[in-house]
Amino acid sequence: MTTRIDTRFAALKREGRAGLVTFVSAGDPDPKTSLAILKALPAAGADVIELGMPFSDPMSDGPTIQASSQRALKHGQTLAGTLDLVRAFRESDDATPIVLMGYFNPIYVHGVDRFLAEAKAAGVDGLIVVDLPPEEDDELCVPAVAAGINFVRLVTPTTDAKRMPAVLANTSGFIYYVSITGVTGTAKPDFSAVGRAVAAIRAKTPLPIAVGFGVRSADDAAAIAQGADAVVVGSALVAAIKSSLDQNDAATPGTVDAAAGLVRQLAGGVRSARRPAAE
């Protein structure tokens, strides 16, 4: 079954460039503004959207994304509300892939079968669930793939050769390589080390490889795009949204433009790293 993610990465390969994957938290800073930001991202240059599912205990996220989750939760964002956001986005965009990223607990509480059916119907294309290891694939990964939703797995600098086959076994859509150890948004990647890691992963899988964590600028994005199939930007984008808010963390007239403006810069960096187009 071909998903929007498969279609988008095939198109990027034909164009001879890397893609830009942008992360925002659903409902941040409020549901209405969050939808406006989502709708603005593709036109600004986002090729794939990662949409965070706000959770009260986001253990893998740095302080910037944790704060965005808290802002969303404060405004009543729920898992059902996140699916509503995707559904509303799909009313005007049926092409841009959306990957939900988060933790298993809200999905488990919602009910796995119910969640997958509703996510598919809403227009979700992929899942990244950071606290479900390969040993738990039967919980969500295998049912998701059966439902036509890609299950994207994280590979980290500490994933060794012995562990790699298990990580890759049921992964689909793309591989997300975490360029640094630790939580999101807390360090700058070593670009030469990232290039070597991407090459090593590429030797083991035909899936596209997206690289994230620590990408803050157009120059960072261009450096990553030299070797990766996509560049993921999250904390920098969430920080741009935060910087546009008023003292009460409420949206201002400049909030959507703050997000879109940074995405345009990052997209320019990604697109500056041209590679030969596929035949």
Side-chain angles (χ1 to χ4, degrees):
M1 182 182 296
T2 300
T3 66
R4 290 184 186 90
I5 295 172
D6 300 326
T7 300
R8 180 53 52 92
F9 275 104
L12 291 170
K13 186 174 182 180
R14 288 193 300 272
E15 293 175 28
R17 70 172 179 88
L20 177 62
V21 181
T22 56
F23 172 94
V24 291
S25 292
D28 177 38
D30 63 75
K32 181 180 178 180
T33 307
S34 182
L35 178 58
I37 291 170
L38 272 187
K39 289 182 174 181
L41 293 178
D47 296 295
V48 178
I49 296 172
E50 281 182 14
L51 187 58
M53 297 179 283
F55 182 48
S56 57
D57 186 25
M59 62 184 181
S60 294
D61 297 320
T64 300
I65 293 178
Q66 285 189 21
S68 72
S69 284
Q70 290 303 316
R71 290 192 295 271
L73 291 170
K74 181 180 177 181
H75 282 274
Q77 190 69 24
T78 62
L79 183 56
T82 298
L83 295 177
D84 287 341
L85 198 59
V86 176
R87 196 173 293 109
F89 175 82
R90 285 284 173 239
E91 291 177 2
S92 59
D93 188 324
D94 194 45
T96 304
I98 289 187
V99 179
L100 296 186
M101 185 171 187
Y103 300 84
F104 184 52
N105 181 269
I107 296 171
Y108 177 79
V109 171
H110 195 81
V112 169
D113 292 342
R114 175 188 172 198
F115 167 76
L116 291 175
E118 293 177 355
K120 182 66 176 176
V124 172
D125 305 293
L127 298 174
I128 300 174
V129 181
V130 298
D131 55 346
L132 275 184
E135 289 75 16
E136 305 295 334
D137 273 359
D138 288 343
E139 293 283 348
L140 182 62
C141 173
V142 172
V145 174
I149 297 175
N150 291 133
F151 197 89
V152 178
R153 189 83 69 188
L154 302 181
V155 175
T156 74
T158 60
T159 305
D160 58 24
K162 183 178 180 181
R163 181 67 172 166
M164 189 70 75
V167 172
L168 298 178
N170 291 315
T171 301
S172 62
F174 62 94
I175 301 294
Y176 186 150
Y177 178 68
V178 177
S179 62
I180 58 174
T181 55
V183 297
T184 58
T186 57
K188 189 177 181 70
D190 177 336
F191 297 123
S192 59
V194 169
R196 292 191 297 272
V198 169
I201 298 168
R202 203 181 298 286
K204 300 180 185 301
T205 178
L207 289 172
I209 301 167
V211 175
F213 281 48
V215 179
R216 295 187 177 90
S217 67
D219 288 343
D220 292 346
I224 296 292
Q226 294 288 343
D229 298 298
V231 180
V232 186
V233 181
S235 293
L237 181 53
V238 172
I241 293 170
K242 164 62 178 173
S243 70
S244 75
L245 305 180
D246 68 17
Q247 61 185 1
N248 296 314
D249 281 342
T252 67
T255 295
V256 175
D257 287 342
L262 178 59
V263 171
R264 281 192 290 270
Q265 294 176 31
L266 295 165
V270 169
R271 285 161 173 76
S272 71
R274 303 295 298 184
R275 294 174 294 186
E279 294 293 334

